[in-house]
Amino acid sequence: MSSNDTDLRDEKPQFVLPLVVRIERDAPPARTDALETAARAVLEILSDERSLGDGEWARAITDWEDARIRKVVRRARGAEWRRAEALPGITVTGKEAEVRVFPPVPLDGWPKDLARLQVSGTHLDDPAPPGPVPEDAVTLWFNPKLDMTAGKSMAQAGHGAQLLWWAMPEADRTAWRAAGFPLAVRTAPPGKWAALTASDLPVVRDAGFTEIAPGETVVSEGSGRFAAGLRLGA
């Protein structure tokens, strides 16, 4: 994207895709599970019939994509989560994680039941290191040099999934959705990260508005079954 394209996107009205992760006090989800669930939530709303054609969310999706593809993750529990679930959106579940995604809203126009939720300082841990990437799952590789909160990382995972979705041929999109969007989020080994960023794979370049300086955060890699042409060395 050229600097002129970026300037034009910045001049347009700005929207944000809200995501809410359920974090009960005594039962928080594992970090990787939450990141992967957030990425799938983004894919679910992008492919939902309400977001396409003349669907009820289509105009909001188009307005959002025409500007910066901002995503903000907030957290909720108990009654907060129940109020969030009552708003139009899609709830996606992982192994334990629950994430609800909502149609885009103006940057300063959040529904009050979402605006009151906490956005900063969302921290989650993995009880054990994530296992190997499942066969046929696409992989969202995180920059090993960055230290981000879970909320920021969930938004970055969503960006990575969206860029891969845009880059996929239509047939791969259809097959990926039918399979339930198999994907994995992993931190790239330093040597692999260097190779990933030197490739033509979709890369998330964060604008640096929150937590980190501007730079590359996630590289999205296809699998043997989905977006096979979008693989390192392919």
Side-chain angles (χ1 to χ4, degrees):
M1 181 181 298
S2 69
S3 59
N4 287 340
D5 291 336
T6 301
D7 291 343
L8 289 173
R9 290 167 70 90
D10 286 340
E11 290 172 3
K12 295 181 178 181
Q14 298 295 305
F15 292 79
V16 60
L17 187 78
L19 298 106
V20 175
V21 57
R22 183 179 185 181
I23 304 181
E24 297 294 341
R25 191 184 305 274
D26 298 327
R31 179 184 175 95
T32 296
D33 187 22
L35 268 59
E36 293 173 349
T37 305
R40 283 194 296 271
V42 171
L43 295 166
E44 289 287 355
I45 198 167
L46 289 175
S47 61
D48 192 279
E49 62 182 12
R50 289 167 289 184
S51 300
L52 306 173
D54 296 325
E56 60 187 288
W57 298 342
R59 178 59 185 270
I61 292 287
T62 298
D63 289 344
W64 168 62
E65 290 182 336
D66 282 348
R68 288 185 178 269
I69 55 167
R70 298 173 186 258
K71 300 176 182 71
V72 172
V73 178
R74 296 176 184 263
R75 64 184 184 271
R77 67 173 183 262
E80 297 172 332
W81 175 255
R82 292 190 290 274
R83 285 193 293 267
E85 279 209 304
L87 298 175
I90 302 169
T91 296
V92 178
T93 57
K95 295 174 183 177
E96 297 176 344
E98 293 179 75
V99 175
R100 188 163 180 85
V101 61
F102 305 86
V105 297
L107 193 59
D108 297 320
W110 285 66
K112 63 179 182 180
D113 283 334
L114 299 184
R116 68 180 65 178
L117 300 176
Q118 290 293 320
V119 63
S120 61
T122 300
H123 297 283
L124 296 170
D125 297 310
D126 281 317
V133 174
E135 186 178 359
D136 285 336
V138 307
T139 309
L140 308 177
W141 294 106
F142 269 63
N143 186 338
K145 297 179 181 178
L146 296 179
D147 181 16
M148 297 181 286
T149 62
K152 177 75 172 180
S153 297
M154 290 169 69
Q156 298 301 305
H159 293 334
Q162 184 167 0
L163 293 185
L164 188 62
W165 177 254
W166 282 349
M168 276 187 174
E170 188 62 34
D172 281 5
R173 288 186 184 183
T174 301
W176 197 25
R177 185 186 185 199
F181 297 120
L183 60 83
V185 171
R186 297 291 186 270
T187 299
K192 184 175 182 69
W193 180 253
L196 288 164
T197 54
S199 70
D200 293 326
L201 297 176
V203 56
V204 178
R205 293 180 173 87
D206 190 74
F209 294 132
T210 59
E211 289 196 27
I212 59 173
E216 299 162 330
T217 58
V218 179
V219 175
S220 305
E221 184 178 22
S223 69
R225 183 179 175 192
F226 307 110
L230 295 169
R231 298 181 67 189
L232 189 63

